[in-house]
Amino acid sequence: MSVTEAPDRTPSPSTHTAFLEVHDLSVHFPTEDGLVKAVDGISFAVERGETLGIVGESGSGKSVTSQAIMGLHKGSRARVSGQILFEGRDLVRIREEEMRLLRGKQIAMIFQDPLSALHPYYTVGNQIVEAYRVHNDVSKQAAKKRTIEMLDRVGIPNPDSRFSDYPHQFSGGMRQRAMIAMALVCDPHLLIADEPTTALDVTVQAQILELMKDLQREFDSAIILITHDLGVVAETCDNVVVMYGGQCVEYGGVDDIFYKPEMPYTWGLLTSMPRMDRTRTERLNPISGQPPSLINVPSGCVFNPRCAYREHVPGDACVTDHPDLLEVVPQHAVRCHIDPDVRRRIWSEQIRPSL
Amino acid sequence: MTTIQSADGVAPIHPAADDPDALLAVNDLKVHFPIRRGIFFKRQVGAVKAVDGVSFSVRPGETLGLVGESGCGKTTTGRAITRLIDPTSGSIRFEGQEVARLGRSQMRPLRRQMQMIFQDPYSSLNPRHPIGTIVGAPFRIQGVEPEGGVKKAVQTLLERVGLNPEHYNRYPHEFSGGQRQRIGLARALALQPKLIVCDEPVSALDVSVQAQVVNLMEDLQDEFHLAYVFVAHDLSVVRHIADRVAVMYLGHVMELTDRDVLYTEPMHPYTHALMSAVPVPDPAKENRRERILLKGDLPSPINPPSGCVFHTRCAKYREVLSDAEKERCRGEVPVLETKRPGHFVACHYPEARQDIALAEDAGVEGETVA
């Protein structure tokens, strides 16, 4: 697993290539108002059996990143650059027809809103059968058998009779299970889950996350979990990318992100959420201001207009220089001008006691 | 359980609603939505029992949290209080006045006293009106002429909720989600109400912005001595903002008590399950703690389970109780009764557990069952 610096346009020919490697991925959308830099130079890697969390607020580019991996921007006006190496192939450059063979078979996706992701006109069973038969040359009977197996596997009661139900006859949690069954029916090696539990109640969320962990163990698949909920990240992820304004601002193992975060934005996320596991505080500590516009991205550090720790940087480097994503220790990279020793001191003296 | 006859002598007042200082007292509130069949003669064939006998009270300046899963009736309860939905039966007393059966025009003067904020800041503001008109609407509808004119009052309000008063003529689409929620707050505050029913006011916002709005709501509460009924599904936000919390399930209040008691020693098995399901942002604690997984889905409120509505999914019913005890759960509806002073629980076999709620850091280290 490696994180390259943002300006590093030619990734070094490393000895080991990860299962999925994203190098300097950018997705820009030309619009009438200007160029929207939804994702701007993001790099990460995922191995099989591992879960990578991508966290950030709305508009931070987390969903666009996942859509780029799925090749969903092909044929649109979006400008995608960089590399997405999946089992040695570059998904940015392959043609739509090749992508279609991978999509659903090798790489599958679970969307946030299962009611709009499932087709209301077809039964749940038939939609899964279709997904299976597109990639596997089997009879309808065999596909149906496989589908019922999958529905059973994801915990839908009476899968035989539920096979011919329509999506509206399922509850929210069951629809999400059906989506997971559809995503996993071809045994994909990479599963992208875009806010899979955001629309669900906590009790159902706990069921679904448990299910995803079980299935990951069983199929040894890699999961990219996109979420804004740090609690979900703590529960499921091995590594975390924190995104802000289309950029990765901090990257590290889940313990580093929660116990030794160094980027002021990560601190802000951790301090602004009310927590069940700590003594109740009188006031929450929000990050002041609003998330940035992706058309007029702030100069210098993308977080600088909302950052409360700029005084620790001499001069106005925060406003003028764009900081690089630098590794502080192996597997933990931070995009910030503040001196690493000062950051660690702020974290241990000011932030952690206030959590 | 002590039952006191209400003034009109019809229904006994539930102890949870029996508070002489209460600003709002809801007693045995029921909201059933009829299901009709047939083309010409619409026969009623059943009812969705969205709210089925809910009692609680809210004091002036207090925040009552209503939590529960979707479909538990928390939103319907909030809307019945403000009379956006007509209650089927039960009483809603606001400052001692019965409002459950008031007509539209009789309700209007009361709307100065109770206002509402909605979940979705995108659909709760009319896109064709500038925000000055939106925030000024309560003045016009109620025929109130504020000192210095409506425009001045609106600009003061906008400033109070942290918006630029010069944005008076801008339209809702020009604002972000957090700013729109502030506009909704300004509108609700316009007539200086005593009670605001907030229906998931911060659920649609990002964490950093959510904290801004929560802080603002607390400041406004202190400044104007507001009472909130705070409907939400996020237990950690409710713990932060509420003074007392009612946990709802399938139209019933399962547990109602002070915030600190609920989050340190919850007694109802449903509250245990709900709290253990909230993921905490701490990987080590996540690995260590026990999670009570609820099996299956919420039963249908058209045909709720017999006896205790929760018994079909209750972990305690499944794993701990004897057959005779199970019989009771299936046959007898548990009443919401006082188990400890100020702690109401609707369960035949409640148990105070300190290991569930991770309210204090010590909760993880010293895992003890009370």
Side-chain angles (χ1 to χ4, degrees):
Chain A
M1 179 147 319
S2 68
V3 172
T4 49
E5 293 176 15
D8 182 4
R9 295 219 158 253
T10 48
S12 55
S14 56
T15 47
H16 168 72
T17 40
F19 173 63
L20 174 77
E21 274 185 44
V22 174
H23 287 293
D24 196 25
L25 176 71
S26 294
V27 184
H28 294 176
F29 298 96
T31 66
E32 282 175 16
D33 299 325
L35 189 66
V36 176
K37 294 179 180 171
V39 178
D40 205 18
I42 179 171
S43 305
F44 56 80
V46 197
E47 295 288 355
R48 287 194 74 162
E50 224 179 47
T51 304
L52 174 82
I54 303 184
V55 286
E57 294 176 271
S58 24
S60 62
K62 46 194 201 305
S63 292
V64 175
T65 304
S66 68
Q67 288 159 4
I69 299 171
M70 284 294 279
L72 297 179
H73 296 305
K74 288 182 190 297
S76 77
R77 292 170 67 201
R79 291 187 205 139
V80 184
S81 64
Q83 277 185 312
I84 303 170
L85 295 174
F86 177 74
E87 293 185 322
R89 285 209 271 173
D90 186 355
L91 301 186
V92 173
R93 271 159 203 89
I94 66 171
R95 284 177 302 128
E96 171 65 20
E97 295 85 81
E98 289 174 81
M99 190 68 221
R100 199 180 291 154
L101 294 176
L102 288 178
R103 205 186 279 145
K105 173 91 177 146
Q106 307 272 346
I107 311 174
M109 187 153 177
I110 305 172
F111 295 90
Q112 173 174 0
D113 179 7
L115 191 57
S116 53
L118 292 169
H119 199 299
Y121 191 75
Y122 297 100
T123 64
V124 171
N126 280 334
Q127 295 184 50
I128 302 177
V129 163
E130 186 191 354
Y132 191 57
R133 292 191 72 209
V134 163
H135 295 290
N136 296 279
D137 185 20
V138 292
S139 70
K140 274 188 184 163
Q141 282 312 310
K144 181 170 179 180
K145 190 161 159 281
R146 165 84 181 159
T147 300
I148 291 171
E149 242 174 61
M150 277 320 288
L151 288 175
D152 189 41
R153 184 66 199 78
V154 296
I156 288 178
N158 313 322
D160 292 322
S161 60
R162 284 302 197 162
F163 179 89
S164 37
D165 274 0
Y166 289 90
H168 74 267
Q169 293 169 296
F170 277 39
S171 71
M174 288 219 295
R175 276 180 216 135
Q176 200 58 283
R177 285 164 194 272
M179 287 259 297
I180 293 176
M182 192 188 299
L184 294 178
V185 73
C186 295
D187 296 337
H189 300 154
L190 173 66
L191 182 65
I192 302 173
D194 188 354
E195 305 260 11
T197 56
T198 306
L200 306 175
D201 287 309
V202 278
T203 54
V204 185
Q205 165 173 291
Q207 295 171 355
I208 298 284
L209 293 179
E210 203 72 20
L211 171 70
M212 283 176 55
K213 275 192 270 184
D214 282 353
L215 295 170
Q216 177 174 38
R217 250 173 261 137
E218 193 174 317
F219 297 110
D220 193 34
S221 45
I223 296 182
I224 297 179
L225 181 76
I226 294 164
T227 180
H228 66 276
D229 186 336
L230 289 171
V232 172
V233 172
E235 191 184 332
T236 50
C237 297
D238 302 303
N239 294 296
V240 185
V241 169
V242 180
M243 284 191 76
Y244 185 79
Q247 300 172 9
C248 171
V249 293
E250 183 158 8
Y251 169 87
V254 70
D255 288 345
D256 285 338
I257 295 293
F258 283 96
Y259 302 133
K260 286 180 268 172
E262 295 198 16
M263 168 74 199
Y265 177 64
T266 317
W267 298 341
L269 282 181
L270 286 168
T271 53
S272 60
M273 61 192 300
R275 296 176 64 149
M276 292 267 289
D277 60 327
R278 299 286 167 99
T279 318
R280 183 180 171 277
T281 50
E282 271 313 306
R283 300 281 292 173
L284 295 177
N285 280 314
I287 308 174
S288 61
Q290 303 286 332
S293 144
L294 294 172
I295 296 178
N296 296 310
V297 179
S299 63
C301 171
V302 68
F303 185 59
N304 87 69
R306 301 177 77 188
C307 185
Y309 302 92
R310 271 164 57 185
E311 80 238 36
H312 298 284
V313 179
D316 49 4
C318 286
V319 187
T320 52
D321 293 347
H322 184 236
D324 293 330
L325 186 67
L326 296 173
E327 278 198 345
V328 278
V329 289
Q331 309 302 328
H332 186 187
V334 183
R335 193 188 287 279
C336 183
H337 283 305
I338 304 173
D339 183 74
D341 292 331
V342 178
R343 290 197 300 241
R344 274 170 217 140
R345 206 183 63 229
I346 298 175
W347 163 252
S348 56
E349 287 172 9
Q350 291 179 31
I351 315 285
R352 201 169 52 183
S354 75
L355 279 181
Chain B
M1 192 173 90
T2 50
T3 50
I4 303 141
Q5 288 295 308
S6 64
D8 47 16
V10 184
I13 293 180
H14 192 277
D18 182 32
D19 183 348
D21 304 329
L23 174 72
L24 174 80
V26 175
N27 188 37
D28 199 28
L29 177 73
K30 289 185 182 167
V31 184
H32 293 181
F33 297 104
I35 306 165
R36 296 184 206 280
R37 288 272 160 76
I39 300 163
F40 297 112
F41 305 102
K42 294 217 180 259
R43 291 174 299 118
Q44 184 176 338
V45 293
V48 177
K49 293 169 183 157
V51 178
D52 206 17
V54 163
S55 305
F56 57 82
S57 63
V58 186
R59 293 193 182 154
E62 185 188 48
T63 303
L64 177 82
L66 282 184
V67 294
E69 295 174 273
S70 43
C72 73
K74 53 192 194 300
T75 296
T76 309
T77 306
R79 295 193 170 205
I81 294 168
T82 45
R83 291 293 309 279
L84 298 181
I85 293 173
D86 286 334
T88 311
S89 71
S91 96
I92 301 167
R93 282 171 178 276
F94 185 78
E95 295 190 304
Q97 188 190 355
E98 178 62 57
V99 299
R101 269 162 286 280
L102 292 184
R104 231 180 130 85
S105 55
Q106 291 168 301
M107 262 316 279
R108 183 149 290 167
L110 276 166
R111 297 207 186 278
R112 287 189 204 179
Q113 307 293 333
M114 49 165 118
Q115 286 285 328
M116 192 149 181
I117 312 173
F118 298 91
Q119 172 172 11
D120 181 3
Y122 290 84
S123 57
S124 58
L125 303 176
N126 189 336
R128 289 170 45 152
H129 288 172
I131 62 162
T133 313
I134 291 172
V135 177
F139 295 116
R140 273 182 287 105
I141 294 167
Q142 292 281 350
V144 176
E145 188 56 43
E147 218 175 300
V150 172
K151 183 167 182 180
K152 175 132 185 303
V154 168
Q155 288 184 329
T156 317
L157 280 167
L158 290 179
E159 200 162 5
R160 185 61 202 85
V161 297
L163 294 170
N164 188 342
E166 287 163 23
H167 292 170
Y168 186 83
N169 282 321
R170 293 203 181 176
Y171 286 86
H173 73 265
E174 296 173 79
F175 294 90
S176 69
Q179 289 173 321
R180 283 155 170 262
Q181 211 53 300
R182 289 170 193 267
I183 297 168
L185 259 171
R187 175 174 63 182
L189 282 174
L191 298 165
Q192 306 206 336
K194 292 184 176 141
L195 174 75
I196 299 184
V197 176
C198 318
D199 187 4
E200 304 260 12
V202 295
S203 311
L205 307 177
D206 281 314
V207 271
S208 69
V209 179
Q210 172 178 310
Q212 295 173 2
V213 175
V214 167
N215 280 348
L216 173 66
M217 288 181 67
E218 288 185 323
D219 293 344
L220 295 171
Q221 178 166 43
D222 293 344
E223 191 177 330
F224 299 106
H225 200 56
L226 293 166
Y228 290 133
V229 173
F230 194 93
V231 177
H233 69 276
D234 186 331
L235 287 160
S236 25
V237 173
V238 169
R239 171 168 177 248
H240 184 82
I241 200 165
D243 300 308
R244 288 192 305 139
V245 184
V247 180
M248 289 186 68
Y249 183 79
L250 218 62
H252 296 261
V253 174
M254 292 282 145
E255 187 162 5
L256 167 63
T257 184
D258 288 344
R259 170 238 304 155
D260 290 335
V261 178
L262 186 84
Y263 283 85
T264 48
E265 281 185 67
M267 287 178 88
H268 198 287
Y270 178 61
T271 317
H272 298 158
L274 206 54
M275 287 195 176
S276 77
V278 179
V280 291
D282 188 325
K285 281 185 195 168
E286 267 305 323
N287 286 335
R288 256 179 300 170
R289 85 203 183 105
E290 183 202 358
R291 175 154 288 161
I292 304 168
L293 277 185
L294 287 183
K295 297 264 156 57
D297 285 309
L298 198 70
S300 158
I302 300 172
N303 188 13
S306 66
C308 173
V309 284
F310 183 57
H311 83 257
T312 52
R313 299 173 77 197
C314 182
K316 190 165 188 184
Y317 174 88
R318 219 168 40 231
E319 287 153 17
V320 182
L321 297 184
S322 69
D323 285 344
E325 289 169 323
K326 284 183 181 177
E327 189 70 36
R328 190 175 170 209
C329 289
R330 284 195 304 268
E332 191 186 324
V333 181
V335 247
L336 183 69
E337 47 183 18
T338 318
K339 300 285 179 190
R340 290 175 181 177
H343 194 157
F344 299 93
V345 185
C347 178
H348 293 307
Y349 307 102
E351 175 188 17
R353 287 183 70 168
Q354 291 172 332
D355 57 327
I356 290 296
L358 299 165
E360 307 294 330
D361 289 334
V364 172
E365 271 81 53
E367 281 168 341
T368 49
V369 180

